[in-house]
Amino acid sequence: MLSDDVIGWDIGGAHLKAARIGASGVVLDAMQVPCALWRGLRELEHGIEAVLTRCVGVQYHAITMTGEMVDLFPDRGAGVKAIAEYVAKRLGDDVVWLYRGDGQFVPPYQAAEYAMQIASANWHAAAECVAQKIGNGILVDIGSTTTDIIPIVANKLRNQGGDDATRLVTDELVYSGIVRTPLMAMTERVPFAGTSVPLMAEYFATMADVYRLTGELPEHADQHPAADGGEKNLAASARRLARMLGRDRDSAPMADWHELARWFRGRQLARLHAACEHVAASAQMPADAPIIGAGVGRFLIRELAAVTARPYRSFADLLPLAEVTADEVSNLAPAVSVALLWQRR
């Protein structure tokens, strides 16, 4: 028997995130599965099957996405259309609704007409949901690949950018996350062994290696192979960091690689701090407005709130939960939010 529950889907280029919301608006379940969409739409099928196996008997599906930007598609419009057609065929034309990025939903057959509004609108779903719960605040969602920083004033979104291009310019989108970001994207030089060392411009290591070495990488956050396809332990992460400097791991004590990881951590935090301050100033955010943390990088957001002297709240604190954990809900804020917005439409 089908239920009146709804599944919110956040279809990314690297992960598929889903949340089941009960008819009363309570979050019942939330999950993330790897979905390397750049390899083909069959990856999406594997992800959908994993979700439906766990969320049996749900009738309705609310969808937001960022996967349209992967290089499987010639452009974003084609990506939105292809993903919409695929999920409609798999889940049912009459039970699938696409988030349009302005609080509204459209059926799959209108995907091409509203492609640019649907594209990469998951941040808007999360921010719109938060805006219904708080008056003033800054939603910061640090994921595996990117960071969204969205100001909310008087229960309204005060964002300046509307798409990826403009959001990058305004610092509301920072292409830096705690797992998949290559270290060569973080800086050109690092301090090591008493000197300044240029980094190799190679995909040798990622921020997952950094946070594994600092001991902060959340469990199950790193769902894709390491840069070298190797093991995911301290020794392997140190080896990958060493390669960025043209070295082998044994060329320095492990303590030095841990110190280098902490340096990269500080570099990322400083970049996000600057972006957050820029967004807050542009929105004329009240000084006592809290930072609301979402995504697997919330451990950084707590520190970000501290250095900006703002109160901190977790996304999950704003919602009623059932047996699902607060961590699971906060990790998947757009998937949870798009389902709740569909219920309230």
Side-chain angles (χ1 to χ4, degrees), residues 24-46:
S24 62
V26 175
V27 185
L28 302 175
D29 200 0
M31 63 185 295
Q32 171 181 297
V33 294
C35 180
L37 195 54
W38 62 87
R39 295 176 184 161
L41 285 169
R42 66 186 179 278
E43 296 289 326
L44 184 54
E45 173 63 22
H46 299 327

Side-chain angles (χ1 to χ4, degrees), residues 4-190:
D4 290 332
D5 296 357
V6 57
I7 298 178
W9 303 78
D10 182 8
I11 302 174
H15 301 97
L16 177 62
K17 302 172 184 179
R20 181 173 186 167
I21 310 297
S24 62
V26 175
V27 185
L28 302 175
D29 200 0
M31 63 185 295
Q32 171 181 297
V33 294
C35 180
L37 195 54
W38 62 87
R39 295 176 184 161
L41 285 169
R42 66 186 179 278
E43 296 289 326
L44 184 54
E45 173 63 22
H46 299 327
I48 290 174
E49 282 302 314
V51 173
L52 294 183
T53 297
R54 191 157 126 181
C55 300
V56 179
V58 179
Q59 183 173 4
Y60 301 107
H61 305 272
I63 294 173
T64 187
M65 67 180 75
T66 60
E68 78 285 340
M69 71 176 69
V70 301
D71 51 18
L72 173 66
F73 309 115
D75 55 52
R76 296 184 182 206
V80 168
K81 186 172 182 291
I83 292 171
E85 289 176 349
Y86 192 90
V87 296
K89 182 178 179 180
R90 177 63 183 82
L91 301 173
D93 283 298
D94 57 342
V95 295
V96 168
W97 295 88
L98 307 173
Y99 187 67
R100 203 174 68 178
D102 59 357
Q104 303 299 312
F105 290 83
V106 296
Y109 68 83
Q110 291 186 310
E113 180 181 355
Y114 292 102
M116 292 304 99
Q117 292 98 316
I118 295 167
S120 298
N122 64 345
W123 63 272
H124 192 283
E128 186 66 33
C129 186
V130 171
Q132 294 178 4
K133 301 291 185 179
I134 66 165
N136 302 321
I138 306 171
L139 173 63
V140 181
D141 186 339
I142 302 180
S144 64
T145 310
T146 62
T147 298
D148 292 307
I149 305 173
I150 305 105
I152 298 163
V153 178
N155 297 104
K156 301 291 184 182
L157 275 62
R158 193 66 70 82
N159 55 294
Q160 293 186 314
D163 57 16
D164 284 353
T166 53
R167 296 181 66 235
L168 284 168
V169 172
T170 60
D171 275 338
E172 292 164 358
L173 171 62
V174 182
Y175 244 81
S176 187
I178 68 157
V179 178
R180 299 181 65 242
T181 302
L183 293 194
M184 60 181 171
M186 297 298 300
T187 185
E188 292 184 356
R189 307 180 76 92
V190 298

